[in-house]
Amino acid sequence: MKFKKLLSMVTCACMMITACAGLTGCSGEDEQVIIYSNADDEAVECMKNTLDSNGYEGKYVFQSFGTSELGGKMLAEGRDIEADIITMSSYYIESAQSESDMFTNLTFEVNTTDSYPSYYAPFLANQGAILVNTDVLIEQGLATPTSVKDLANPEYAGYISVVDIQGSSTAWLMIQSLVNEYGEEGTKEILTDIYKNAGAHIEQSGSGPIKKVRAGEVAIGFGLRHQAIADKNDGLPVDFVDPTEGNFTLTESLAVVDKGDETKELAMEMVQCITEKGRADLMNYYPVPLYEGETADSNAISANSKTFAEPLTVELLEKHRNLSESCK
Amino acid sequence: MKKLKVSPQKTILIFSCLLFGFFLLIPMVTILCKSFYGDDGVTSEYYSRLFSGGSIFTSLLNSVLISALSGLITTILAFIPAYAINYTNISRKLKKVIASLVMLPMLLPTITYGFAIIYSFGKQGLMTNLLGTQLIDIYGTAGLIIGFVIYTLPISFMLINNTMGYVDKKFMIVSRMMGDSKIKSFLTTVITPLISTLAVSFIQSFTLSFTDYGIPAALAGNVDLLATRLYNEMLGSLPDFNTGSAVSIIMLLPSVLSIILISSLNKYNIRYNKISVIELTKNKVRDIGMGIASGVIIACVLSVFAVIFIVPFVEQWPYKMNFSLEHITEILSDSSLMSVYKNSLLTAVVTAVIGTLVVYSLALVSARRNEHRHLGKIPDIVSLVTNTIPGMVLGVAYLLTFKGTFMHNTFAVIIICNIIHYFSSPYLMMKSSLEKLNASWETTAKLMGDSWIKTVIRIITPNAVSTLLEVFSYFFVNAMVTVSAVIFLAGTKTMIITAKIKELQHFANFNEIFVLSILILITNLLVKGLVRLFAAIRSKKGKTV
């Protein structure tokens, strides 16, 4: 008697657990291509529109993540990842590929102006710039900075916000511009003073500075150029400055996960579709040319765009991270 | 049938050993191995990398000091409303209001807190604008402590309030009749029975703060904490699971201390044969004083959250301050949102049902007198360990352990993760309330010829209903608000609402974050309301033993 009751209790619990496990087991939409992305809203919207207008509507699901979550997932799950396509910062895709060989080679021609590995296709480039809150600058009687080096000026102590390269690769855009212009030794000096000025406003998230500039918490920040443009167009007292050291870029790319025999053909088609038909749309927000035949609108892109001399690899990032850590 | 000698208590223990073995031990061992095992085999490289330079000690010290201070403040603050509810003659209605409002912050995701504090006390914040001056520098120690106190106050209050309800207040009269001074009487009849709960409350607040990432992410400024370090190692620009695992092992150190501390405090537990209802002495000064003190605490907490209800209704905070429903309609018309919301509800309900069952059965074994009580140390240890494992670590551990298995990207893995992650508080609550019930019931029932299960169903359960319901809503609410672990476990078809918030945080869309926070808040309020209604109907139906 006692045992029977107990048995029923245990069975009951087991059934409940299997029931909720089963909830996901049956899905009739297995044909859908799953796309994991760390891209901004605008970029995802562009990609969706491109896919929809080319007959792929309803054949895919987009799932957005923060860079760090998606990065963690990629490195932890490797080929077991649920996604068929991943859109992510290029150096991250490279690092995941070297770690777990998880992407398959693209089966179509990629006409980029620069050369990229055979397993991904870039679809946009983010450009760094100095962000300012014009109201706060006037309020505090601060001069508008013209270079990244200016941010080391003691006058800006407490008024600037920058990104920590430990937390987000947006910081890399700033460090690249410094290393390129002043060398590693010079960068060390400048960066030490910038961190001193930023104090509590060294952000772990790439969008930290734009948030603080937007909220008026600081007068000046270093972040993504197109975010400042969007805020400015929204009528906020936000503006951007192209630093004299130049604006550097990081690309984001599309890659198809190698799932052996289960790799979906449709996934490859979609990546081809986005890179071939979606760029015009994407360039409205991210105006940096990447492919043959593309030209940048002179107003939308910095006249002083630059590329770092060395290829942007995880090793280089690690080197720059150590440099940054020594400045704290 | 007679030969089967598996007692129900033993079955519960075996079942839970399997549960914790698979979903706690194996994932944590995986992490431990990661911290010692790299590409080139066994190595201590990751630890030596961590300890070189010594900055890890600074992080550790900062984390310990700030969390301890927050734990202390929280426990003292939580004591006040709990005292007002249990030891004063404030009207019952007012007591209910106090209890509900103190618990309010718990109904919101922590991810919201950082934003709320910045938009309240920051340079352009609501409170700063209203007061015309910035009260405190929110970036750094002060901001962190405010965040942690708000975050842990409800849990601390819940623990203290719960135990106070089971303290026999008759002894207050006895003490006064014996001629004890007011202070001595307060210490012996109020504080002494609470000592172990106060310690548990401190430890709970401490570890919650110690392991939280959401608040430091927004407010740490340049204070280096262990949690931020862990996040950077695990998920920074250069994820390094090996070094990250080493950091998370170091983060487990406080659990060792907690285990020693709690077991040494256990002897202070006092058991009453019955809880007598007494008339509390009349004391207007005490009543008004405690009422006002509770009111002030609640007002401070709520003032921080006011901003959540204001910002989304403003066109563009703080620059275009006109009323607008644009953000609300935009969010609510998002078609994918309803399915995400449904997923969240499903996860929360199942987590609450199974979680309550697990907690109740384990607490029965460890808190009530029976031949397996010595084995009750197992859930005790589990509760201390789960308490100190940061959600993020648990999430990554699950990811590494269950990738590629049939559990990968299922609701089941999210639900089990929630139960393990939130096991500690409800278990301690359940256990302490069961311990307070008369210890001789089982013996009496056994002499009367009732089986253990019969005793549990007929006698113990009816007396534990209010705590059971609290445990249920604790699990539900936390499953609704949790972010850290599930962010790694939610797949495309198992996406839940807090993962959506995290996604929005990535885009800095705080308007939408606040709207979704309000949606979560309303859901949690509804469920709490339903649970309370159920309890009320039940207690009307008939008085229990």
Side-chain angles (χ1 to χ4, degrees):
Chain A
M1 179 63 187
K2 212 195 277 179
F3 184 72
K4 260 189 192 164
K5 228 174 205 169
L6 194 74
L7 199 68
S8 66
M9 261 170 73
V10 173
T11 330
C12 203
C14 288
M15 269 165 63
M16 274 159 97
I17 291 174
T18 33
C20 57
L23 278 170
T24 52
C26 53
S27 61
E29 293 160 349
D30 269 347
E31 296 312 304
Q32 279 187 325
V33 171
I34 296 172
I35 307 172
Y36 276 7
S37 175
N38 80 324
D40 289 342
D41 263 347
E42 298 85 11
V44 171
E45 214 46 52
C46 286
M47 288 190 269
K48 279 183 180 169
N49 290 341
T50 309
L51 289 175
D52 288 351
S53 57
N54 286 287
Y56 296 111
E57 196 170 353
K59 291 180 182 165
Y60 64 89
V61 197
F62 248 99
Q63 185 55 59
S64 285
F65 290 94
T67 308
S68 40
E69 282 83 27
L70 183 52
K73 254 180 159 352
M74 280 162 69
L75 292 191
E77 296 181 309
R79 285 182 186 209
D80 289 322
I81 204 160
E82 188 191 19
D84 300 297
I85 299 174
I86 287 173
T87 97
M88 184 68 171
S89 315
S90 304
Y91 77 90
Y92 234 125
I93 293 185
E94 286 180 33
S95 139
Q97 179 75 348
S98 69
E99 186 87 2
S100 47
D101 196 22
M102 63 186 283
F103 301 109
T104 178
N105 280 331
L106 299 178
T107 55
F108 57 94
E109 201 67 35
V110 182
N111 288 318
T112 45
T113 46
D114 296 329
S115 63
Y116 292 96
S118 54
Y119 51 88
Y120 70 74
F123 68 99
L124 67 82
N126 272 316
Q127 199 156 45
I130 297 173
L131 324 164
V132 293
N133 184 312
T134 46
D135 282 0
V136 181
L137 280 181
I138 295 167
E139 228 169 76
Q140 303 296 334
L142 297 169
T144 308
T146 58
S147 65
V148 179
K149 194 184 177 188
D150 279 352
L151 303 185
N153 196 327
E155 141 183 47
Y156 295 125
Y159 293 111
I160 66 166
S161 170
V162 294
V163 187
D164 184 356
I165 195 166
Q166 287 260 47
S168 161
S169 60
T170 301
W172 206 8
L173 297 169
M174 185 176 86
I175 294 178
Q176 279 178 39
S177 69
L178 287 172
V179 176
N180 188 60
E181 192 72 26
Y182 312 105
E184 287 192 16
E185 278 312 302
T187 302
K188 211 167 176 174
E189 262 172 50
I190 298 168
L191 207 53
T192 308
D193 290 339
I194 289 182
Y195 286 159
K196 211 181 284 168
N197 277 351
H201 300 296
I202 301 175
E203 305 293 323
Q204 295 303 323
S205 150
S207 50
I210 186 75
K211 274 188 246 174
K212 294 248 169 108
V213 167
R214 191 187 289 157
E217 288 290 300
V218 297
I220 304 157
F222 189 97
L224 299 181
R225 198 173 185 270
H226 73 267
Q227 288 181 325
I229 297 178
D231 275 8
K232 193 182 175 185
N233 292 341
D234 272 356
L236 302 182
V238 174
D239 207 343
F240 62 92
V241 176
D242 290 328
T244 52
E245 290 94 349
N247 304 68
F248 286 75
T249 48
L250 278 177
T251 59
E252 290 182 17
S253 296
L254 293 150
V256 177
V257 179
D258 187 355
K259 295 193 168 172
D261 294 340
E262 286 172 34
T263 311
K264 287 177 189 145
E265 253 172 64
L266 211 53
M268 191 63 76
E269 279 179 37
M270 286 181 188
V271 170
Q272 185 170 9
C273 172
I274 293 169
T275 49
E276 285 174 3
K277 294 174 179 146
R279 280 289 300 157
D281 221 7
L282 282 162
M283 279 188 71
N284 289 330
Y285 299 98
Y286 311 90
V288 182
L290 290 170
Y291 286 80
E292 296 285 354
E294 289 178 350
T295 45
D297 183 336
S298 58
N299 292 323
I301 178 174
S302 163
N304 197 15
S305 302
K306 283 188 185 168
T307 318
F308 199 69
E310 290 172 61
L312 302 178
T313 58
V314 174
E315 289 72 32
L316 184 69
L317 177 62
E318 197 162 3
K319 196 170 135 198
H320 286 169
R321 180 186 70 171
N322 295 340
L323 173 71
S324 157
E325 281 301 284
S326 71
C327 298
K328 279 185 187 166
Chain B
M1 281 303 247
K2 263 191 176 169
K3 284 204 169 162
L4 278 165
K5 281 248 169 97
V6 189
S7 69
Q9 292 101 317
K10 218 170 199 169
T11 318
I12 288 169
L13 284 170
I14 292 168
F15 188 73
S16 58
C17 281
L18 284 175
L19 181 77
F20 293 124
F22 270 109
F23 297 105
L24 183 63
L25 197 61
I26 293 178
M28 290 323 288
V29 168
T30 310
I31 285 273
L32 185 68
C33 291
K34 271 263 166 195
S35 76
F36 281 110
Y37 195 82
D39 294 333
D40 315 314
V42 178
T43 170
S44 62
E45 180 200 335
Y46 307 114
Y47 287 94
S48 54
R49 188 188 295 170
L50 212 55
F51 284 105
S52 68
S55 65
I56 185 87
F57 295 109
T58 322
S59 317
L60 186 64
L61 195 68
N62 283 339
S63 283
V64 169
L65 287 181
I66 292 174
S67 311
L69 196 55
S70 308
L72 194 66
I73 296 173
T74 303
T75 306
I76 293 169
L77 288 183
F79 182 84
I80 293 170
Y83 188 84
I85 285 170
N86 291 288
Y87 290 95
T88 68
N89 292 319
I90 297 175
S91 80
R92 284 187 73 134
K93 270 194 185 142
L94 200 61
K95 285 181 177 177
K96 268 191 180 162
V97 172
I98 292 176
S100 317
L101 288 180
V102 174
M103 303 288 284
L104 206 60
M106 214 178 122
L107 309 182
L108 282 161
T110 40
I111 209 167
T112 318
Y113 295 11
F115 282 114
I117 292 174
I118 291 178
Y119 279 83
S120 298
F121 294 110
K123 288 195 183 125
Q124 298 285 341
L126 180 68
M127 297 310 278
T128 313
N129 279 339
L130 286 178
L131 300 170
T133 169
Q134 192 174 2
L135 283 181
I136 38 154
D137 185 11
I138 50 170
Y139 301 104
T141 313
L144 286 171
I145 291 177
I146 295 176
F148 288 150
V149 169
I150 294 175
Y151 169 38
T152 55
L153 191 66
I155 291 141
S156 176
F157 166 78
M158 200 164 87
L159 288 165
I160 298 173
N161 187 37
N162 196 61
T163 310
M164 272 187 182
Y166 285 101
V167 171
D168 194 337
K169 284 144 199 97
K170 188 178 63 194
F171 288 91
M172 290 173 77
I173 299 170
V174 177
S175 159
R176 294 309 297 279
M177 277 163 68
M178 306 268 284
D180 286 351
S181 71
K182 275 194 174 175
I183 292 172
K184 184 162 187 222
S185 161
F186 175 76
L187 288 177
T188 48
T189 62
V190 181
I191 298 294
T192 311
L194 278 176
I195 280 203
S196 93
T197 306
L198 290 176
V200 168
S201 148
F202 171 78
I203 292 166
Q204 282 287 88
S205 310
F206 173 85
T207 39
L208 280 172
S209 308
F210 191 80
T211 57
D212 182 59
Y213 174 73
I215 293 162
L219 299 171
N222 51 3
V223 178
D224 200 4
L225 296 180
L226 218 48
T228 25
R229 185 173 281 258
L230 173 70
Y231 190 81
N232 286 338
E233 291 293 351
M234 284 286 195
L235 297 169
S237 52
L238 284 169
D240 178 349
F241 289 127
N242 298 107
T243 312
S245 303
V247 179
S248 42
I249 296 299
I250 292 170
M251 279 191 99
L252 294 177
L253 286 179
S255 78
V256 181
L257 288 174
S258 323
I259 290 167
I260 298 166
L261 217 69
I262 287 203
S263 59
S264 71
L265 279 166
N266 252 346
K267 58 174 180 277
Y268 290 103
N269 261 344
I270 289 171
R271 200 182 279 267
Y272 300 97
N273 287 327
K274 64 180 176 100
I275 296 137
S276 23
V277 182
I278 61 149
E279 192 82 9
L280 290 162
T281 49
K282 286 210 170 71
N283 185 340
K284 272 264 155 64
V285 179
R286 174 198 64 196
D287 293 0
I288 294 172
M290 290 318 272
I292 289 174
S294 308
V296 168
I297 293 170
I298 290 166
C300 288
V301 172
L302 292 188
S303 68
V304 173
F305 287 100
V307 75
I308 297 170
F309 296 93
I310 297 172
V311 170
F313 295 98
V314 169
E315 196 181 332
Q316 179 71 61
W317 182 277
Y319 303 109
K320 296 181 192 165
M321 297 290 272
N322 41 313
F323 180 80
S324 154
L325 280 174
E326 192 193 327
H327 304 299
I328 309 283
T329 46
E330 196 181 308
I331 274 275
L332 295 182
S333 62
D334 189 340
S335 63
S336 65
L337 193 78
M338 269 344 271
S339 75
V340 171
Y341 180 66
K342 263 189 239 158
N343 287 348
S344 274
L345 272 185
L346 175 84
T347 313
V349 169
V350 182
T351 302
V353 172
I354 301 182
T356 309
L357 272 177
V358 170
V359 161
Y360 186 47
S361 48
L362 282 174
L364 278 173
V365 174
S366 66
R368 304 299 297 173
R369 189 172 294 166
N370 66 69
E371 65 264 44
H372 301 290
R373 196 157 167 213
H374 55 284
L375 291 173
K377 282 266 179 287
I378 297 172
D380 283 4
I381 291 166
V382 165
S383 105
L384 288 169
V385 172
T386 53
N387 203 16
T388 50
I389 299 175
M392 215 156 54
V393 175
L394 200 62
V396 174
Y398 271 42
L399 196 61
L400 295 171
T401 313
F402 299 116
K403 64 171 177 180
T405 68
F406 74 99
M407 294 289 286
H408 197 189
N409 291 320
T410 58
F411 282 114
V413 80
I414 297 178
I415 289 161
I416 293 170
C417 179
N418 281 340
I419 293 173
I420 305 276
H421 186 189
Y422 290 107
F423 176 75
S424 186
S425 291
Y427 170 74
L428 293 175
M429 204 165 75
M430 197 75 241
K431 192 184 165 196
S432 96
S433 89
L434 286 180
E435 275 171 347
K436 297 289 187 302
L437 295 178
N438 192 315
S440 58
W441 284 344
E442 281 94 333
T443 325
T444 318
K446 203 171 184 182
L447 290 173
M448 309 272 285
D450 270 0
S451 72
W452 184 74
I453 286 190
K454 256 188 192 165
T455 321
V456 167
I457 294 172
R458 283 192 189 159
I459 303 169
I460 299 176
T461 309
N463 280 286
V465 164
S466 67
T467 313
L468 277 171
L469 287 172
E470 270 201 65
V471 167
F472 178 89
S473 50
Y474 183 92
F475 271 118
F476 181 90
V477 162
N478 278 299
M480 278 306 281
V481 301
T482 182
V483 186
S484 49
V486 293
I487 186 79
F488 300 101
L489 306 173
T492 311
K493 295 181 183 88
T494 54
M495 195 40 70
I496 56 175
I497 200 164
T498 40
K500 182 92 186 163
I501 291 190
K502 182 82 188 163
E503 198 183 311
L504 292 166
Q505 186 197 29
H506 171 57
F507 300 131
N509 289 344
F510 50 86
N511 280 317
E512 283 81 350
I513 290 174
F514 289 160
V515 175
L516 287 187
S517 303
I518 294 173
L519 193 63
I520 293 176
L521 179 69
I522 292 171
T523 310
N524 284 336
L525 281 175
L526 276 177
V527 168
K528 289 216 124 192
L530 282 176
V531 164
R532 196 161 290 178
L533 194 72
F534 179 73
I537 292 170
R538 226 192 141 277
S539 70
K540 254 187 201 164
K541 261 187 182 167
K543 281 248 168 260
T544 47
V545 186

